[in-house]
């Protein structure tokens, strides 16, 4: 955290925890007998949600940057 800062470090840790949890849940569903289609659906839904959140964050950051100028 001394190199990249505390906020970026905690953000990184949060992303790692989120993706690790998701991977475990999807793998667990697959091992417990969920169909590959359902597992793929979970993965696609997560990716769509991730893209939407990142797009929203980018849009918000651009608006803030434009307001500062």
């Amino acid at each position: 955290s001394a190199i990249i800062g505390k906020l970026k470090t905690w953000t990184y840790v949060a992303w790692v925890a989120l993706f690790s949890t998701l991977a475990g849940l999807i793998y667990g569903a697959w091992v417990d007998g969920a169909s590959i289609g359902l597992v793929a659906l979970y993965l696609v839904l997560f990716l769509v949600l991730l893209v939407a959140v990142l797009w929203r964050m980018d849009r918000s950051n651009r608006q803030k940057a434009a307001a500062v100028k």
Side-chain angles (χ1 to χ4, degrees), residues 3-58:
I3 296 172
I4 64 172
K6 289 184 180 184
L7 179 62
K8 288 182 183 177
T9 300
W10 282 112
T11 302
Y12 175 77
V13 169
W15 281 112
V16 168
L18 177 71
F19 282 112
S20 298
T21 302
L22 177 71
L25 289 172
I26 290 175
Y27 180 75
W30 180 54
V31 168
D32 286 343
S35 69
I36 193 71
L38 186 59
V39 172
L41 178 65
Y42 288 154
L43 184 57
V44 167
L45 287 175
F46 175 76
L47 291 175
V48 166
L49 180 64
L50 178 63
V51 167
V53 167
L54 291 175
W55 175 78
R56 177 74 177 152
M57 288 173 58
D58 181 57

